[in-house]
Amino acid sequence: MTEPSRIAIVTGAARGIGAAIAERLARDGCDIAVMDLNATACADTVATVRALGRRAEAIAVDVADEASVHVAVRDCEIALGSPAVLVNNAGVLREKTLAKMTLDDWQIVQDVNLRGPFLMCRAVQASMRAAGHGRIVNLASIAALGAHGQANYAAAKAGLIGLTKTIALEMGRYGVTANVVAPGFVVTPMTVAVAERLGVDFETMVADVVRDIPAGRPGLPEDIANAVAFFADTRSGFVSGQVLFVAGGPRG
């Protein structure tokens, strides 16, 4: 049997969790299409992957735009080959209570966090089916269970879980798995930005959150990357349609 391609697409890979995922998959032997809204911003991640002896290509993509997704996946295929792994990590936050949330606040979060993974999954499914192998890992959140001030984000992440389970049902016969990693609180540039928008000291916010985490610490990007690596592994072919909460304690 021919060894399956070990080419991975990671969206939102310029920094934070996405960069950690790209590095971990490179350590596991994958070449990486490092995708983000701005290809230039991917330079550090690309350098990290290449330093590990793997190929890497920075590719700009607006995951919410159908044409952009088509071009980005085509560019991956030209530069590296057909992807065997897709990690949908790109995401945005717009925190407001329901009373203050605008339709624009709602829509941009749906577009990036739910429409984007749908478009990316649809774009790679044909080549994965043809290869008889594929690993799709979608990044949701504990917010899918409900989160104050995040009706838009919670709805998108809950929808992503439903999308993933459906893909697992439809694609399993082709050797393609689809799973969800749902992080809890993780120290990233995004969570730092949340504190800034709320006018809260970040260290104070972390201390408040950690009081409710049984593990007694916040998550790190590497914690999420390790979970993604399990689902992305060629040996994980009998694990599909699952949601793994990486939150320092039981969830779900």
Side-chain angles (χ1 to χ4, degrees):
M1 180 178 177
T2 303
E3 179 70 14
S5 162
R6 295 301 291 157
I7 295 158
I9 291 173
V10 183
T11 69
R15 60 181 187 165
I17 291 173
I21 291 169
E23 179 178 350
R24 173 57 200 267
L25 294 182
R27 291 185 184 279
D28 289 349
C30 289
D31 298 324
I32 312 293
V34 182
M35 295 193 182
D36 213 297
L37 197 58
N38 185 337
T40 304
C42 299
D44 288 347
T45 306
V46 168
T48 297
V49 171
R50 289 177 178 170
L52 293 169
R54 306 307 310 180
R55 295 183 299 156
E57 192 75 18
I59 299 175
V61 65
D62 177 355
V63 297
D65 182 82
E66 183 176 15
S68 179
V69 166
H70 174 77
V71 171
V73 172
R74 182 203 64 192
D75 288 350
C76 170
E77 292 171 344
I78 292 170
L80 300 173
S82 296
V85 178
L86 168 64
V87 182
N88 284 306
N89 167 73
V92 296
L93 282 168
R94 294 292 185 273
E95 313 90 343
K96 288 180 183 176
T97 60
L98 184 63
K100 296 180 180 179
M101 187 172 292
T102 68
L103 186 57
D104 285 343
D105 294 328
W106 172 270
Q107 196 59 53
I108 190 172
V109 171
Q110 303 307 312
D111 286 347
V112 176
N113 294 285
L114 185 54
R115 174 185 169 97
F118 161 72
L119 291 173
M120 292 297 302
C121 290
R122 193 179 65 173
V124 304
Q125 57 83 29
S127 63
M128 287 185 175
R129 285 197 303 171
H133 173 85
R135 298 286 182 266
I136 295 171
V137 186
N138 291 325
L139 273 290
S141 168
I142 60 170
L145 303 174
H148 181 82
Q150 294 185 349
N152 48 5
Y153 190 69
K157 294 303 188 180
L160 185 58
I161 291 172
L163 171 66
T164 306
K165 287 179 175 289
T166 300
I167 292 171
L169 291 172
E170 294 181 353
M171 299 288 285
R173 71 185 68 182
Y174 304 107
V176 179
T177 66
N179 291 285
V180 172
V181 172
F185 182 83
V186 180
V187 176
T188 67
M190 180 181 284
T191 51
V192 171
V194 169
E196 290 176 352
R197 285 197 295 271
L198 295 175
V200 176
D201 175 72
F202 183 66
E203 296 303 320
T204 301
M205 184 174 81
V206 171
D208 288 343
V209 171
V210 165
R211 278 196 286 269
D212 294 324
I213 298 176
R217 67 170 178 87
L220 300 175
E222 292 75 18
D223 294 315
I224 311 308
N226 291 335
V228 170
F230 167 72
F231 285 134
D233 196 284
T234 57
R235 295 164 293 186
S236 297
F238 204 56
V239 182
S240 196
Q242 302 305 304
V243 181
L244 177 57
F245 287 91
V246 185
R251 298 281 178 169

Short mmCIF file of all heavy atoms in Angstrom, two decimals, residues 136-207:
data_model
loop_
_atom_site.label_atom_id
_atom_site.label_comp_id
_atom_site.label_asym_id
_atom_site.label_seq_id
_atom_site.Cartn_x
_atom_site.Cartn_y
_atom_site.Cartn_z
N ILE A 136 -9.28 15.49 8.77
CA ILE A 136 -9.81 16.83 8.96
C ILE A 136 -9.95 17.07 10.45
O ILE A 136 -10.58 16.28 11.16
CB ILE A 136 -11.16 17.00 8.25
CG1 ILE A 136 -11.00 16.89 6.73
CG2 ILE A 136 -11.80 18.35 8.62
CD1 ILE A 136 -12.31 16.84 5.96
N VAL A 137 -9.35 18.16 10.93
CA VAL A 137 -9.46 18.52 12.34
C VAL A 137 -9.95 19.96 12.41
O VAL A 137 -9.30 20.87 11.90
CB VAL A 137 -8.12 18.39 13.08
CG1 VAL A 137 -8.33 18.63 14.58
CG2 VAL A 137 -7.47 17.03 12.83
N ASN A 138 -11.10 20.15 13.03
CA ASN A 138 -11.70 21.47 13.16
C ASN A 138 -11.56 21.96 14.60
O ASN A 138 -11.81 21.22 15.55
CB ASN A 138 -13.17 21.45 12.76
CG ASN A 138 -13.34 21.21 11.27
OD1 ASN A 138 -12.53 21.67 10.46
ND2 ASN A 138 -14.39 20.49 10.89
N LEU A 139 -11.16 23.22 14.76
CA LEU A 139 -10.98 23.81 16.07
C LEU A 139 -12.26 24.50 16.50
O LEU A 139 -12.65 25.52 15.92
CB LEU A 139 -9.82 24.80 16.06
CG LEU A 139 -8.41 24.27 16.30
CD1 LEU A 139 -8.23 23.83 17.75
CD2 LEU A 139 -8.07 23.13 15.36
N ALA A 140 -12.93 23.93 17.51
CA ALA A 140 -14.12 24.55 18.09
C ALA A 140 -13.70 25.27 19.37
O ALA A 140 -12.66 25.93 19.40
CB ALA A 140 -15.20 23.52 18.33
N SER A 141 -14.46 25.13 20.43
CA SER A 141 -14.17 25.84 21.68
C SER A 141 -15.14 25.36 22.75
O SER A 141 -16.25 24.89 22.43
CB SER A 141 -14.34 27.35 21.48
OG SER A 141 -14.34 28.04 22.71
N ILE A 142 -14.75 25.49 24.01
CA ILE A 142 -15.71 25.23 25.08
C ILE A 142 -16.87 26.22 25.00
O ILE A 142 -17.94 25.98 25.58
CB ILE A 142 -15.07 25.27 26.48
CG1 ILE A 142 -14.45 26.63 26.77
CG2 ILE A 142 -14.07 24.16 26.65
CD1 ILE A 142 -14.02 26.80 28.22
N ALA A 143 -16.69 27.31 24.27
CA ALA A 143 -17.78 28.27 24.08
C ALA A 143 -18.97 27.64 23.37
O ALA A 143 -20.09 28.16 23.47
CB ALA A 143 -17.30 29.49 23.30
N ALA A 144 -18.75 26.53 22.67
CA ALA A 144 -19.87 25.84 22.02
C ALA A 144 -20.92 25.40 23.02
O ALA A 144 -22.09 25.17 22.66
CB ALA A 144 -19.35 24.63 21.24
N LEU A 145 -20.54 25.29 24.29
CA LEU A 145 -21.47 24.91 25.35
C LEU A 145 -22.22 26.11 25.91
O LEU A 145 -23.09 25.95 26.76
CB LEU A 145 -20.71 24.21 26.48
CG LEU A 145 -19.91 22.97 26.08
CD1 LEU A 145 -19.10 22.46 27.27
CD2 LEU A 145 -20.83 21.89 25.54
N GLY A 146 -21.87 27.30 25.40
CA GLY A 146 -22.48 28.54 25.88
C GLY A 146 -21.44 29.40 26.56
O GLY A 146 -20.64 28.90 27.36
N ALA A 147 -21.43 30.70 26.23
CA ALA A 147 -20.45 31.61 26.81
C ALA A 147 -21.03 33.01 26.86
O ALA A 147 -21.52 33.52 25.85
CB ALA A 147 -19.16 31.60 25.98
N HIS A 148 -20.96 33.64 28.02
CA HIS A 148 -21.49 34.98 28.19
C HIS A 148 -20.83 35.95 27.22
O HIS A 148 -19.61 36.00 27.09
CB HIS A 148 -21.27 35.46 29.63
CG HIS A 148 -21.81 36.83 29.90
ND1 HIS A 148 -23.14 37.05 30.18
CD2 HIS A 148 -21.21 38.05 29.90
CE1 HIS A 148 -23.33 38.35 30.37
NE2 HIS A 148 -22.18 38.97 30.19
N GLY A 149 -21.64 36.73 26.53
CA GLY A 149 -21.12 37.73 25.60
C GLY A 149 -20.60 37.17 24.30
O GLY A 149 -19.95 37.89 23.52
N GLN A 150 -20.90 35.90 24.02
CA GLN A 150 -20.36 35.26 22.81
C GLN A 150 -21.42 34.44 22.09
O GLN A 150 -21.16 33.33 21.62
CB GLN A 150 -19.16 34.37 23.16
CG GLN A 150 -17.96 35.15 23.66
CD GLN A 150 -16.74 34.27 23.87
OE1 GLN A 150 -16.82 33.05 23.83
NE2 GLN A 150 -15.60 34.88 24.11
N ALA A 151 -22.62 34.98 21.96
CA ALA A 151 -23.69 34.25 21.27
C ALA A 151 -23.27 33.90 19.85
O ALA A 151 -23.55 32.79 19.35
CB ALA A 151 -24.97 35.09 21.25
N ASN A 152 -22.61 34.82 19.17
CA ASN A 152 -22.18 34.58 17.79
C ASN A 152 -21.12 33.48 17.72
O ASN A 152 -21.21 32.55 16.91
CB ASN A 152 -21.66 35.87 17.16
CG ASN A 152 -20.68 36.65 18.05
OD1 ASN A 152 -20.29 36.19 19.12
ND2 ASN A 152 -20.28 37.83 17.61
N TYR A 153 -20.13 33.58 18.59
CA TYR A 153 -19.02 32.62 18.61
C TYR A 153 -19.50 31.23 19.06
O TYR A 153 -19.14 30.22 18.46
CB TYR A 153 -17.94 33.14 19.55
CG TYR A 153 -16.63 32.42 19.51
CD1 TYR A 153 -15.79 32.50 18.41
CD2 TYR A 153 -16.19 31.67 20.61
CE1 TYR A 153 -14.56 31.86 18.40
CE2 TYR A 153 -14.97 31.03 20.61
CZ TYR A 153 -14.15 31.12 19.49
OH TYR A 153 -12.93 30.48 19.48
N ALA A 154 -20.34 31.21 20.10
CA ALA A 154 -20.87 29.94 20.60
C ALA A 154 -21.68 29.23 19.53
O ALA A 154 -21.56 28.01 19.34
CB ALA A 154 -21.71 30.18 21.85
N ALA A 155 -22.52 29.99 18.82
CA ALA A 155 -23.35 29.39 17.78
C ALA A 155 -22.49 28.85 16.64
O ALA A 155 -22.74 27.75 16.12
CB ALA A 155 -24.33 30.42 17.25
N ALA A 156 -21.46 29.60 16.26
CA ALA A 156 -20.58 29.15 15.17
C ALA A 156 -19.83 27.89 15.57
O ALA A 156 -19.72 26.94 14.77
CB ALA A 156 -19.60 30.26 14.80
N LYS A 157 -19.30 27.84 16.78
CA LYS A 157 -18.53 26.68 17.21
C LYS A 157 -19.42 25.46 17.43
O LYS A 157 -19.00 24.32 17.16
CB LYS A 157 -17.74 27.02 18.48
CG LYS A 157 -16.65 28.06 18.26
CD LYS A 157 -15.65 27.64 17.17
CE LYS A 157 -14.47 28.57 17.09
NZ LYS A 157 -13.49 28.17 16.04
N ALA A 158 -20.64 25.66 17.91
CA ALA A 158 -21.57 24.54 18.03
C ALA A 158 -21.94 24.02 16.64
O ALA A 158 -22.02 22.81 16.41
CB ALA A 158 -22.82 24.98 18.78
N GLY A 159 -22.13 24.94 15.70
CA GLY A 159 -22.41 24.53 14.33
C GLY A 159 -21.25 23.77 13.72
O GLY A 159 -21.45 22.82 12.94
N LEU A 160 -20.03 24.16 14.07
CA LEU A 160 -18.85 23.48 13.54
C LEU A 160 -18.79 22.04 14.02
O LEU A 160 -18.36 21.14 13.29
CB LEU A 160 -17.60 24.25 13.98
CG LEU A 160 -16.26 23.76 13.43
CD1 LEU A 160 -16.25 23.76 11.91
CD2 LEU A 160 -15.13 24.63 13.97
N ILE A 161 -19.22 21.80 15.25
CA ILE A 161 -19.27 20.43 15.75
C ILE A 161 -20.25 19.60 14.93
O ILE A 161 -19.96 18.47 14.52
CB ILE A 161 -19.63 20.41 17.24
CG1 ILE A 161 -18.48 20.99 18.06
CG2 ILE A 161 -19.96 18.99 17.71
CD1 ILE A 161 -18.79 21.21 19.54
N GLY A 162 -21.42 20.16 14.64
CA GLY A 162 -22.40 19.45 13.82
C GLY A 162 -21.88 19.20 12.41
O GLY A 162 -22.08 18.11 11.84
N LEU A 163 -21.21 20.19 11.83
CA LEU A 163 -20.62 20.03 10.51
C LEU A 163 -19.61 18.90 10.51
O LEU A 163 -19.60 18.04 9.61
CB LEU A 163 -19.96 21.34 10.09
CG LEU A 163 -19.10 21.30 8.81
CD1 LEU A 163 -19.96 21.02 7.59
CD2 LEU A 163 -18.32 22.60 8.64
N THR A 164 -18.75 18.87 11.52
CA THR A 164 -17.70 17.87 11.58
C THR A 164 -18.27 16.46 11.71
O THR A 164 -17.81 15.53 11.03
CB THR A 164 -16.77 18.15 12.78
OG1 THR A 164 -16.30 19.50 12.70
CG2 THR A 164 -15.59 17.20 12.79
N LYS A 165 -19.26 16.29 12.55
CA LYS A 165 -19.86 14.97 12.72
C LYS A 165 -20.52 14.50 11.42
O LYS A 165 -20.49 13.31 11.09
CB LYS A 165 -20.87 15.01 13.87
CG LYS A 165 -20.22 15.09 15.25
CD LYS A 165 -21.25 15.13 16.35
CE LYS A 165 -20.59 15.10 17.73
NZ LYS A 165 -20.02 13.77 18.05
N THR A 166 -21.10 15.42 10.68
CA THR A 166 -21.72 15.06 9.41
C THR A 166 -20.67 14.67 8.38
O THR A 166 -20.85 13.68 7.63
CB THR A 166 -22.57 16.23 8.88
OG1 THR A 166 -23.58 16.53 9.84
CG2 THR A 166 -23.23 15.88 7.56
N ILE A 167 -19.57 15.41 8.33
CA ILE A 167 -18.48 15.05 7.41
C ILE A 167 -17.94 13.66 7.76
O ILE A 167 -17.64 12.85 6.87
CB ILE A 167 -17.35 16.10 7.47
CG1 ILE A 167 -17.84 17.42 6.87
CG2 ILE A 167 -16.11 15.61 6.74
CD1 ILE A 167 -16.90 18.58 7.07
N ALA A 168 -17.82 13.36 9.05
CA ALA A 168 -17.36 12.04 9.47
C ALA A 168 -18.27 10.94 8.94
O ALA A 168 -17.80 9.88 8.49
CB ALA A 168 -17.27 11.97 10.99
N LEU A 169 -19.57 11.19 8.96
CA LEU A 169 -20.53 10.20 8.45
C LEU A 169 -20.42 10.04 6.94
O LEU A 169 -20.46 8.93 6.41
CB LEU A 169 -21.95 10.62 8.82
CG LEU A 169 -22.34 10.56 10.30
CD1 LEU A 169 -23.71 11.19 10.52
CD2 LEU A 169 -22.33 9.12 10.80
N GLU A 170 -20.28 11.13 6.24
CA GLU A 170 -20.26 11.10 4.78
C GLU A 170 -18.94 10.61 4.19
O GLU A 170 -18.93 10.00 3.13
CB GLU A 170 -20.58 12.49 4.23
CG GLU A 170 -21.99 12.98 4.54
CD GLU A 170 -22.29 14.35 3.95
OE1 GLU A 170 -21.37 14.99 3.40
OE2 GLU A 170 -23.45 14.79 4.05
N MET A 171 -17.83 10.89 4.88
CA MET A 171 -16.52 10.64 4.29
C MET A 171 -15.81 9.40 4.83
O MET A 171 -14.75 9.02 4.32
CB MET A 171 -15.63 11.87 4.52
CG MET A 171 -16.14 13.15 3.89
SD MET A 171 -15.99 13.15 2.10
CE MET A 171 -14.22 13.42 1.95
N GLY A 172 -16.39 8.78 5.84
CA GLY A 172 -15.72 7.64 6.45
C GLY A 172 -15.42 6.52 5.48
O GLY A 172 -14.36 5.89 5.56
N ARG A 173 -16.30 6.27 4.55
CA ARG A 173 -16.10 5.17 3.60
C ARG A 173 -14.93 5.40 2.67
O ARG A 173 -14.46 4.47 2.01
CB ARG A 173 -17.38 4.95 2.79
CG ARG A 173 -17.67 6.05 1.78
CD ARG A 173 -19.01 5.85 1.10
NE ARG A 173 -20.11 6.02 2.03
CZ ARG A 173 -21.39 5.85 1.70
NH1 ARG A 173 -21.71 5.48 0.47
NH2 ARG A 173 -22.33 6.05 2.60
N TYR A 174 -14.46 6.64 2.62
CA TYR A 174 -13.33 6.98 1.75
C TYR A 174 -12.00 7.06 2.52
O TYR A 174 -10.99 7.53 1.97
CB TYR A 174 -13.59 8.31 1.05
CG TYR A 174 -14.87 8.33 0.26
CD1 TYR A 174 -15.98 9.04 0.72
CD2 TYR A 174 -14.99 7.61 -0.93
CE1 TYR A 174 -17.16 9.06 0.01
CE2 TYR A 174 -16.18 7.62 -1.65
CZ TYR A 174 -17.26 8.34 -1.17
OH TYR A 174 -18.44 8.35 -1.88
N GLY A 175 -12.01 6.65 3.77
CA GLY A 175 -10.78 6.70 4.55
C GLY A 175 -10.49 8.06 5.14
O GLY A 175 -9.35 8.33 5.56
N VAL A 176 -11.49 8.92 5.18
CA VAL A 176 -11.32 10.28 5.69
C VAL A 176 -11.98 10.39 7.06
O VAL A 176 -13.15 10.03 7.21
CB VAL A 176 -11.93 11.32 4.73
CG1 VAL A 176 -11.77 12.73 5.29
CG2 VAL A 176 -11.30 11.21 3.34
N THR A 177 -11.25 10.87 8.04
CA THR A 177 -11.82 11.12 9.36
C THR A 177 -12.01 12.61 9.56
O THR A 177 -11.33 13.44 8.94
CB THR A 177 -10.91 10.58 10.48
OG1 THR A 177 -9.69 11.32 10.50
CG2 THR A 177 -10.62 9.10 10.29
N ALA A 178 -12.95 12.96 10.43
CA ALA A 178 -13.19 14.37 10.78
C ALA A 178 -13.46 14.44 12.28
O ALA A 178 -14.33 13.73 12.79
CB ALA A 178 -14.37 14.93 10.00
N ASN A 179 -12.69 15.25 12.97
CA ASN A 179 -12.80 15.36 14.42
C ASN A 179 -12.66 16.81 14.85
O ASN A 179 -12.23 17.67 14.08
CB ASN A 179 -11.71 14.52 15.09
CG ASN A 179 -11.94 13.03 14.91
OD1 ASN A 179 -12.81 12.43 15.55
ND2 ASN A 179 -11.15 12.41 14.04
N VAL A 180 -13.03 17.06 16.10
CA VAL A 180 -13.02 18.41 16.67
C VAL A 180 -12.10 18.45 17.89
O VAL A 180 -12.17 17.57 18.76
CB VAL A 180 -14.43 18.85 17.10
CG1 VAL A 180 -14.38 20.16 17.88
CG2 VAL A 180 -15.35 18.98 15.90
N VAL A 181 -11.27 19.46 17.95
CA VAL A 181 -10.56 19.80 19.18
C VAL A 181 -11.19 21.09 19.69
O VAL A 181 -11.28 22.09 18.97
CB VAL A 181 -9.06 20.00 18.94
CG1 VAL A 181 -8.38 20.55 20.19
CG2 VAL A 181 -8.41 18.69 18.52
N ALA A 182 -11.66 21.06 20.94
CA ALA A 182 -12.36 22.20 21.53
C ALA A 182 -11.55 22.74 22.70
O ALA A 182 -11.62 22.22 23.82
CB ALA A 182 -13.76 21.80 21.99
N PRO A 183 -10.76 23.78 22.47
CA PRO A 183 -9.92 24.32 23.55
C PRO A 183 -10.74 25.04 24.61
O PRO A 183 -11.81 25.60 24.34
CB PRO A 183 -9.01 25.32 22.82
CG PRO A 183 -9.06 24.94 21.38
CD PRO A 183 -10.46 24.41 21.18
N GLY A 184 -10.18 25.05 25.82
CA GLY A 184 -10.64 25.95 26.87
C GLY A 184 -9.85 27.24 26.76
O GLY A 184 -9.46 27.66 25.67
N PHE A 185 -9.59 27.86 27.90
CA PHE A 185 -8.84 29.11 27.88
C PHE A 185 -7.38 28.83 27.56
O PHE A 185 -6.71 28.06 28.25
CB PHE A 185 -8.95 29.83 29.23
CG PHE A 185 -8.24 31.15 29.25
CD1 PHE A 185 -8.87 32.28 28.77
CD2 PHE A 185 -6.93 31.25 29.71
CE1 PHE A 185 -8.21 33.51 28.76
CE2 PHE A 185 -6.27 32.47 29.71
CZ PHE A 185 -6.91 33.61 29.23
N VAL A 186 -6.88 29.50 26.52
CA VAL A 186 -5.49 29.32 26.08
C VAL A 186 -4.84 30.69 25.97
O VAL A 186 -5.44 31.64 25.46
CB VAL A 186 -5.42 28.60 24.72
CG1 VAL A 186 -3.97 28.42 24.27
CG2 VAL A 186 -6.13 27.24 24.78
N VAL A 187 -3.62 30.79 26.44
CA VAL A 187 -2.88 32.05 26.36
C VAL A 187 -2.37 32.22 24.93
O VAL A 187 -1.47 31.50 24.49
CB VAL A 187 -1.70 32.06 27.36
CG1 VAL A 187 -0.87 33.33 27.19
CG2 VAL A 187 -2.21 31.95 28.78
N THR A 188 -2.95 33.15 24.21
CA THR A 188 -2.59 33.44 22.83
C THR A 188 -2.72 34.95 22.59
O THR A 188 -3.31 35.66 23.40
CB THR A 188 -3.53 32.72 21.84
OG1 THR A 188 -4.85 33.28 21.95
CG2 THR A 188 -3.58 31.22 22.09
N PRO A 189 -2.21 35.43 21.46
CA PRO A 189 -2.44 36.84 21.12
C PRO A 189 -3.92 37.20 21.07
O PRO A 189 -4.29 38.33 21.38
CB PRO A 189 -1.77 36.97 19.75
CG PRO A 189 -0.67 35.95 19.77
CD PRO A 189 -1.25 34.78 20.52
N MET A 190 -4.78 36.23 20.71
CA MET A 190 -6.21 36.52 20.64
C MET A 190 -6.79 36.77 22.02
O MET A 190 -7.57 37.71 22.21
CB MET A 190 -6.97 35.37 19.96
CG MET A 190 -8.47 35.60 19.87
SD MET A 190 -9.39 34.24 19.09
CE MET A 190 -9.00 34.51 17.37
N THR A 191 -6.39 35.96 23.01
CA THR A 191 -6.94 36.17 24.35
C THR A 191 -6.35 37.43 24.99
O THR A 191 -7.02 38.10 25.78
CB THR A 191 -6.72 34.95 25.25
OG1 THR A 191 -5.34 34.55 25.20
CG2 THR A 191 -7.58 33.78 24.80
N VAL A 192 -5.12 37.75 24.65
CA VAL A 192 -4.54 39.03 25.11
C VAL A 192 -5.35 40.20 24.54
O VAL A 192 -5.66 41.16 25.25
CB VAL A 192 -3.06 39.15 24.69
CG1 VAL A 192 -2.54 40.56 24.98
CG2 VAL A 192 -2.22 38.12 25.42
N ALA A 193 -5.73 40.08 23.26
CA ALA A 193 -6.52 41.14 22.62
C ALA A 193 -7.90 41.26 23.25
O ALA A 193 -8.44 42.37 23.36
CB ALA A 193 -6.64 40.86 21.13
N VAL A 194 -8.48 40.13 23.67
CA VAL A 194 -9.77 40.17 24.36
C VAL A 194 -9.66 41.00 25.64
O VAL A 194 -10.51 41.86 25.92
CB VAL A 194 -10.26 38.75 24.69
CG1 VAL A 194 -11.47 38.80 25.63
CG2 VAL A 194 -10.65 38.01 23.42
N ALA A 195 -8.61 40.77 26.41
CA ALA A 195 -8.42 41.52 27.65
C ALA A 195 -8.28 43.01 27.36
O ALA A 195 -8.84 43.85 28.08
CB ALA A 195 -7.18 41.00 28.38
N GLU A 196 -7.56 43.33 26.30
CA GLU A 196 -7.38 44.74 25.93
C GLU A 196 -8.70 45.39 25.57
O GLU A 196 -9.00 46.52 25.97
CB GLU A 196 -6.39 44.85 24.77
CG GLU A 196 -4.96 44.50 25.17
CD GLU A 196 -4.01 44.50 23.98
OE1 GLU A 196 -4.49 44.63 22.83
OE2 GLU A 196 -2.80 44.38 24.20
N ARG A 197 -9.53 44.66 24.79
CA ARG A 197 -10.83 45.21 24.39
C ARG A 197 -11.74 45.41 25.59
O ARG A 197 -12.56 46.34 25.61
CB ARG A 197 -11.50 44.30 23.36
CG ARG A 197 -10.90 44.39 21.97
CD ARG A 197 -11.82 43.80 20.92
NE ARG A 197 -12.03 42.37 21.08
CZ ARG A 197 -11.27 41.43 20.52
NH1 ARG A 197 -10.22 41.77 19.80
NH2 ARG A 197 -11.54 40.16 20.69
N LEU A 198 -11.62 44.53 26.58
CA LEU A 198 -12.46 44.62 27.77
C LEU A 198 -11.89 45.60 28.80
O LEU A 198 -12.53 45.88 29.82
CB LEU A 198 -12.62 43.24 28.41
CG LEU A 198 -13.37 42.19 27.58
CD1 LEU A 198 -13.33 40.84 28.29
CD2 LEU A 198 -14.80 42.62 27.31
N GLY A 199 -10.67 46.08 28.56
CA GLY A 199 -10.04 47.00 29.50
C GLY A 199 -9.62 46.32 30.79
O GLY A 199 -9.62 46.93 31.86
N VAL A 200 -9.24 45.03 30.68
CA VAL A 200 -8.87 44.24 31.85
C VAL A 200 -7.39 43.88 31.77
O VAL A 200 -6.88 43.57 30.68
CB VAL A 200 -9.72 42.94 31.91
CG1 VAL A 200 -9.30 42.06 33.07
CG2 VAL A 200 -11.21 43.28 32.01
N ASP A 201 -6.69 43.92 32.89
CA ASP A 201 -5.31 43.46 32.93
C ASP A 201 -5.27 41.97 32.61
O ASP A 201 -6.00 41.17 33.20
CB ASP A 201 -4.72 43.70 34.32
CG ASP A 201 -3.31 43.14 34.45
OD1 ASP A 201 -2.38 43.70 33.86
OD2 ASP A 201 -3.18 42.11 35.15
N PHE A 202 -4.39 41.58 31.66
CA PHE A 202 -4.39 40.20 31.19
C PHE A 202 -4.03 39.22 32.30
O PHE A 202 -4.66 38.17 32.44
CB PHE A 202 -3.43 40.03 30.01
CG PHE A 202 -3.44 38.64 29.43
CD1 PHE A 202 -4.58 38.15 28.79
CD2 PHE A 202 -2.33 37.81 29.52
CE1 PHE A 202 -4.61 36.86 28.26
CE2 PHE A 202 -2.35 36.53 28.98
CZ PHE A 202 -3.49 36.06 28.35
N GLU A 203 -3.03 39.54 33.11
CA GLU A 203 -2.64 38.64 34.19
C GLU A 203 -3.77 38.45 35.19
O GLU A 203 -3.97 37.34 35.71
CB GLU A 203 -1.38 39.16 34.88
CG GLU A 203 -0.15 39.20 33.99
CD GLU A 203 0.17 37.85 33.40
OE1 GLU A 203 0.04 36.84 34.13
OE2 GLU A 203 0.57 37.78 32.21
N THR A 204 -4.51 39.51 35.43
CA THR A 204 -5.67 39.40 36.32
C THR A 204 -6.74 38.51 35.72
O THR A 204 -7.34 37.68 36.41
CB THR A 204 -6.26 40.80 36.60
OG1 THR A 204 -5.26 41.62 37.20
CG2 THR A 204 -7.46 40.70 37.53
N MET A 205 -6.96 38.67 34.41
CA MET A 205 -7.95 37.83 33.74
C MET A 205 -7.55 36.36 33.80
O MET A 205 -8.38 35.48 34.06
CB MET A 205 -8.11 38.27 32.28
CG MET A 205 -9.19 37.50 31.53
SD MET A 205 -9.50 38.13 29.86
CE MET A 205 -8.15 37.35 28.97
N VAL A 206 -6.28 36.07 33.56
CA VAL A 206 -5.80 34.69 33.61
C VAL A 206 -6.01 34.12 35.01
O VAL A 206 -6.50 32.99 35.17
CB VAL A 206 -4.31 34.61 33.22
CG1 VAL A 206 -3.76 33.21 33.50
CG2 VAL A 206 -4.12 34.96 31.75
N ALA A 207 -5.68 34.88 36.04
CA ALA A 207 -5.84 34.39 37.41
C ALA A 207 -7.29 34.09 37.73
O ALA A 207 -7.61 33.08 38.38
CB ALA A 207 -5.29 35.43 38.39
#
